[in-house]
Amino acid sequence: MNSSTTKIPCKLSSCNYNVCQPSPRQSLSNIYPSRGCKKTIVPEAPVFLLFGLFVVFLSTHVAAQSSPVYACDAASNPSVAALGFCNASLGINDRVVDLVKRLTLQEKILFLVNSAGNVSRLGIPKYEWWSEALHGVSDVGPGTHFTNVIPGATSFPQVILTAASFNTSLFEAIGKVVSTEARAMYNVGLAGLTFWSPNINIFRDPRWGRGQETPGEDPLLSSKYGSCYVKGLQQRDDCDPDKLKVAACCKHYTAYDLDNWKGTDRYHFNAVVTKQDMDDTFQPPFKSCVIDGNVASVMCSYNQVNGKPTCADPDLLSGVIRGEWNLNGYIVTDCDSIDVFYKSQNYTKTPEEAAAAAILAGVDLNCGSFLGQHTEAAVKGGLVSEDAIDIAVSNNFATLMRLGFFDGDPSKKLYGDLGPKDVCTAENQELAREAARQGIVLLKNTAGSLPLSPTAIKNLAVIGPNANVTKTMIGNYEGIPCTYTTPLQGLAASVATTYLPGCSNVACGAAQVDEAKNLASTADATVLVMGADQSIEAESRDRVDILLPGQQELLVTAVADASCGPVILVIMSGGGMDVSFAKTNDKITSILWVGYPGEAGGAAIADIIFGYYNPSGRLPMTWYPQSYSDRVPMTNMNMRPDPSNGYPGRTYRFYTGETVYTFGDGLSYSEFTHELTQAPRLVSVPLEESHACYSSECQSVVADEQTCRNLTFDMRLRVKNTGRTGGSHTVFLFSTPPAVHNAPQKHLVGFEKVFLNAQTGRNVRFKVDVCKDLSVVDELGGKKVALGEHVLHVGSLKHLLSVRI
């Protein structure tokens, strides 16, 4: 921070109510993340030095300037000081109006595309809008580069694993670190200020290659992840609500969750979605991102929804995002999506009509060049007015002004002192390790198997195609990490290991079965690190089946049969796998799912396996059997089951079939109990005396302002750790509503992650808003309060709540 800037303490964010779990090397007072806690973590020196040995910078040196890009540089161009839009003391709206009226139509069009042009006569340089920060600053977009000045940035776990922590304060803390590193890179000319992250699409189908980028299948979890990560990215330390640290973008709006499956791709797919599914499944994360997170941008998707391209749908863009939700920012297209709906979907007859359709629908910025090429002709042809162009560029300029882009030299402003020293700090890298530890899910653990004793294990066999990987651990939309610690390196830091890949890659066309059996037969314990990578599941690559690839199952089973000691199966993947064979095999004593665990993934895996850290992750998505993939087409968007044709529905909220593991599954090295201490048995919904439900039988009532006023109650619980090991525990509150309006069989009402020492307890309170938390969406998309018996669940505890008029 510049010495002349006074730091104002911020009010604690709503994302910071959770307590994260310390490792044995940390004290509770030093735990990160929470703004209310100290933020310095110092691991024991030998451990830090050991993992420091595995630093790998893979930067490709590119030319880059050493100073940030910004407008209104009065030092080099004194004439701009007199321009109204350069006057930071004016309101943003006044500055935007002043700027837009100075531009010609041709100049305005320069600012409708991601590679925005310059207007040298006004002191406005070129600006690249496209940067990515899905789980760390990424060089996937053209706006960000790594050089010898900053050769890498902290690479956190892929989002699906971070979501498995169910820790909202962690979501925000990661965003805060990413935005600090982004600002540091901006200050040396290596990054922009606008980042097209996070991805908050619902992980509807396990085969989706991009499910790894999302927070999972539940609308509430996705909503909380999106809003909290956005707050971490955007909120400034001076608490100025009109300004942004960096600008986030929630994507891909909406009902986008198919890339390329059996000949159907995202560029041609028409997602047929019921109004009910749209409003209770696909839209809530975006609504929360805009309303709760105050995100600066929303990205429309490639696909059509009910016959209209999302980037050409005025109801979805102008109507909902800007009208109902009141977006304070800009709407951007996915890259080349206007070109896609013109050429691939044949939605318009001419490119000019396509340009006009996007702008009139509410698009402000085009990732790509389409609007740059065709907007002028669309205006001159009378298809769209210049006033509509003014609105679009005004939304873009307002965002840049909130970022300080038009305030002159950023080195004299807040965050102006950030630089290379603030990227890949020891604290940031420890947070990456902590995030992986909090997310890793223990799915099976035969009594006494894990944790392994580092003193009792003299020879650990480490086998599998993902046992010594680096880049696989960071998933897609990745940057260059500060360091890599592979699973093998992490395990070898505690015990002597012998290693065999078992397969040449995850496709595992031919397994080294005999060698692996020999290795495992002489080891005290065996860790098999299997799963997927971007060759199996990725953007533009959906899976056809959900089994372990190739001969992986054969290899795992053979090793388990030959082993004398515990066998730990580690699954590295974004989507779930049908590992029924391992779940039911007594020789496979433990199963861990580690997602794509980020740069420190190997260290985190070892921390769990050797008991340095008590696992607390819970699955953010359902794991289905292969039979699900055999009979359910990805193209069926319906969430609810259809008994008439055997369609089983999707996600834990509606799926009626057998599962391998389900949403929320996960084990600990401790046992936790729940005791209900306070909850009502009856809630009365206040209605006017003339209401029709007093004279006729009603299944539900509209959740309007009058009905919902003060309709809240507290549910209080006593949670106790009855085990011998301290650890974190996620308290889930689910509700099963009455069977009306095809309601979910259960849905998540709230969650809180708490840390408990062994044999200790604490009180947990859920403040339940009946209209927000217990309502259902009816067949027409309306929010209703279901009348009748609701069942509230916390673990094995169930509480009946009657909602009456």
Side-chain angles (χ1 to χ4, degrees):
M1 181 182 294
N2 186 275
S3 59
S4 63
T5 305
T6 301
K7 184 173 181 179
I8 303 170
C10 288
K11 181 180 178 181
L12 288 180
S13 163
S14 60
C15 300
N16 285 326
Y17 62 80
N18 287 329
V19 178
C20 50
Q21 172 181 342
S23 76
R25 302 187 181 95
Q26 302 165 296
S27 70
L28 276 171
S29 63
N30 286 336
I31 196 63
Y32 192 172
S34 172
R35 283 188 188 157
C37 304
K38 296 178 183 177
K39 293 185 179 137
T40 302
I41 290 180
V42 184
E44 291 179 354
V47 175
F48 181 72
L49 291 173
L50 175 64
F51 291 111
L53 295 174
F54 303 130
V55 175
V56 182
F57 287 117
L58 301 177
S59 68
T60 53
H61 293 264
V62 297
Q65 61 189 66
S66 58
S67 59
V69 176
Y70 61 95
C72 300
D73 183 4
S76 60
N77 185 0
S79 66
V80 302
L83 300 175
F85 68 84
C86 289
N87 184 350
S89 67
L90 296 178
I92 286 176
N93 185 62
D94 292 337
R95 297 174 73 188
V96 170
V97 170
D98 179 81
L99 172 53
V100 173
K101 74 181 182 182
R102 296 175 186 273
L103 299 173
T104 66
L105 173 62
Q106 291 76 18
E107 287 170 338
K108 292 171 187 175
I109 291 170
L110 294 174
F111 298 100
L112 293 175
V113 294
N114 65 283
S115 295
N118 66 300
V119 181
S120 55
R121 66 183 180 85
L122 297 177
I124 304 174
K126 292 182 178 179
Y127 177 74
E128 177 55 63
W129 286 80
W130 182 5
S131 289
E132 302 277 357
L134 182 68
H135 52 105
V137 180
S138 166
D139 57 351
V140 169
T144 305
H145 306 280
F146 293 107
T147 70
N148 58 347
V149 177
I150 297 181
T154 307
S155 188
F156 291 93
Q158 183 60 290
V159 176
I160 193 69
L161 187 71
T162 296
S165 72
F166 284 88
N167 187 343
T168 56
S169 63
L170 178 65
F171 305 158
E172 185 175 3
I174 292 173
K176 185 167 178 144
V177 167
V178 173
S179 60
T180 296
E181 296 196 345
R183 270 282 178 175
M185 293 181 66
Y186 169 74
N187 287 344
V188 293
L190 294 175
L193 294 167
T194 47
F195 290 83
W196 292 347
S197 304
N199 179 345
I200 55 167
N201 292 117
I202 293 295
F203 195 177
R204 173 185 62 99
D205 191 290
R207 293 160 291 189
W208 188 31
R210 302 190 73 175
Q212 60 182 289
E213 303 173 30
T214 77
E217 71 182 33
D218 181 71
L220 178 69
L221 174 59
S222 297
S223 296
K224 288 187 177 292
Y225 177 86
S227 61
C228 289
Y229 187 65
V230 164
K231 288 175 182 177
L233 289 175
Q234 293 191 165
Q235 288 182 345
R236 287 164 47 108
D237 291 339
D238 63 3
C239 300
D240 189 333
D242 295 325
K243 294 185 178 180
L244 299 166
K245 188 178 179 186
V246 302
C249 174
C250 288
K251 62 185 187 184
H252 311 79
Y253 181 84
T254 183
Y256 167 68
D257 53 16
L258 180 149
D259 268 61
N260 192 346
W261 179 79
K262 292 189 175 182
T264 300
D265 67 39
R266 58 186 177 174
Y267 307 118
H268 300 86
F269 181 53
N270 176 29
V272 178
V273 186
T274 67
K275 182 65 175 168
Q276 188 174 33
D277 284 343
M278 181 68 81
D279 287 351
D280 84 347
T281 295
F282 297 110
Q283 293 291 71
F286 290 98
K287 182 178 181 179
S288 179
C289 210
V290 175
I291 294 176
D292 302 325
N294 193 24
V295 74
S297 178
V298 174
M299 177 184 286
C300 53
S301 54
Y302 289 115
N303 56 293
Q304 295 186 0
V305 174
N306 298 327
K308 285 186 180 180
T310 64
C311 294
D313 190 334
D315 294 329
L316 284 175
L317 304 187
S318 296
V320 175
I321 297 177
R322 205 168 286 286
E324 293 181 22
W325 302 342
N326 196 26
L327 173 71
N328 180 18
Y330 68 100
I331 296 174
V332 62
T333 70
D334 206 338
C335 295
D336 295 319
S337 61
I338 305 176
D339 187 75
V340 165
F341 77 66
Y342 166 58
K343 291 181 179 176
S344 298
Q345 298 174 6
N346 301 313
Y347 189 69
T348 63
K349 293 181 179 179
T350 69
E352 293 79 17
E353 289 173 343
I359 293 168
L360 292 173
V363 165
D364 302 307
L365 187 73
N366 168 212
C367 177
S369 58
F370 198 93
L371 289 185
Q373 294 169 348
H374 302 293
T375 300
E376 184 174 359
V379 173
K380 291 180 176 177
L383 298 171
V384 64
S385 68
E386 188 168 348
D387 287 345
I389 309 304
D390 291 350
I391 292 171
V393 296
S394 294
N395 289 326
N396 299 337
F397 288 140
T399 303
L400 289 177
M401 286 183 182
R402 294 175 69 200
L403 288 161
F405 185 80
F406 288 95
D407 291 352
D409 187 356
S411 69
K412 297 179 172 60
K413 312 294 180 182
L414 183 65
Y415 304 118
D417 63 343
L418 295 176
K421 71 182 187 308
D422 301 293
V423 181
C424 289
T425 65
E427 180 178 280
N428 293 355
Q429 292 188 64
E430 180 62 21
L431 182 60
R433 181 172 174 175
E434 173 70 15
R437 287 187 293 223
Q438 288 200 31
I440 289 172
V441 182
L442 178 63
L443 291 169
K444 176 183 179 180
N445 195 30
T446 305
S449 299
L450 285 182
L452 298 180
S453 166
T455 55
I457 300 295
K458 305 303 181 185
N459 178 19
L460 180 70
V462 182
I463 299 169
N466 279 335
N468 200 32
V469 292
T470 53
K471 192 172 181 180
T472 296
M473 293 194 301
I474 58 177
N476 68 355
Y477 281 82
E478 77 286 4
I480 296 171
C482 316
T483 178
Y484 281 118
T485 304
T486 73
L488 177 62
Q489 291 167 339
L491 295 166
S494 288
V495 297
T497 60
T498 49
Y499 163 63
L500 182 76
C503 312
S504 60
N505 53 44
V506 292
C508 200
Q512 298 171 287
V513 174
D514 291 338
E515 298 95 318
K517 289 167 63 177
N518 290 337
L519 194 66
S521 66
T522 58
D524 297 323
T526 300
V527 175
L528 287 145
V529 191
M530 315 301 285
D533 63 14
Q534 301 305 305
S535 71
I536 301 295
E537 51 180 3
E539 184 171 5
S540 298
R541 183 178 292 117
D542 297 328
R543 288 188 287 167
V544 175
D545 63 53
I546 50 178
L547 300 169
L548 287 178
Q551 295 188 10
Q552 286 193 33
E553 180 177 334
L554 171 68
L555 178 64
V556 171
T557 302
V559 167
D561 288 343
S563 298
C564 296
V567 177
I568 299 97
L569 174 61
V570 176
I571 306 294
M572 192 178 292
S573 70
M577 299 280 189
D578 182 353
V579 290
S580 304
F581 78 96
K583 182 179 180 180
T584 57
N585 186 336
D586 292 340
K587 294 281 287 182
I588 298 171
T589 52
S590 305
I591 302 174
L592 286 168
W593 175 70
V594 301
Y596 294 120
E599 64 172 45
I605 291 167
D607 288 340
I608 299 291
I609 287 176
F610 290 115
Y612 305 138
Y613 196 96
N614 193 346
S616 62
R618 300 293 182 264
L619 284 183
M621 73 298 199
T622 300
W623 285 29
Y624 301 89
Q626 174 59 25
S627 58
Y628 178 92
S629 289
D630 293 336
R631 66 191 184 109
V632 177
M634 271 194 79
T635 48
N636 188 329
M637 297 293 292
N638 292 329
M639 300 302 298
R640 289 159 167 81
D642 185 348
S644 69
N645 59 18
Y647 179 71
R650 296 181 182 276
T651 78
Y652 80 95
R653 296 166 70 222
F654 303 105
Y655 177 65
T656 56
E658 295 295 319
T659 63
V660 180
Y661 293 107
T662 194
F663 177 89
D665 278 357
L667 304 172
S668 168
Y669 296 150
S670 298
E671 296 292 332
F672 297 88
T673 61
H674 312 96
E675 178 188 358
L676 181 65
T677 58
Q678 177 185 326
R681 293 197 174 275
L682 173 67
V683 169
S684 296
V685 179
L687 298 177
E688 295 181 358
E689 291 182 7
S690 60
H691 198 283
C693 288
Y694 283 118
S695 58
S696 61
E697 189 77 17
C698 289
Q699 291 184 319
S700 63
V701 295
V702 176
D704 57 20
E705 184 177 351
Q706 175 67 31
T707 303
C708 297
R709 187 176 294 129
N710 300 323
L711 204 57
T712 62
F713 64 86
D714 281 354
M715 185 167 180
R716 297 176 186 268
L717 302 131
R718 182 71 178 172
V719 183
K720 185 175 181 181
N721 180 353
T722 60
R724 294 179 294 176
T725 306
S728 287
H729 174 62
T730 297
V731 185
F732 291 110
L733 174 60
F734 290 99
S735 170
T736 295
V740 299
H741 301 305
N742 291 315
Q745 50 198 3
K746 73 172 183 175
H747 69 270
L748 187 61
V749 171
F751 59 88
E752 183 164 352
K753 191 160 192 171
V754 297
F755 178 82
L756 293 169
N757 288 315
Q759 299 299 314
T760 65
R762 63 171 287 182
N763 297 323
V764 173
R765 183 188 78 152
F766 289 102
K767 189 172 184 63
V768 180
D769 182 320
V770 173
C771 288
K772 180 181 178 183
D773 300 323
L774 300 185
S775 61
V776 298
V777 174
D778 70 13
E779 292 81 354
L780 299 178
K783 183 177 282 190
K784 299 289 185 66
V785 176
L787 301 176
E789 300 299 320
H790 296 247
V791 182
L792 302 179
H793 312 247
V794 177
S796 59
L797 183 156
K798 293 184 179 181
H799 176 73
L800 290 178
L801 173 70
S802 183
V803 178
R804 305 291 180 191
I805 58 173

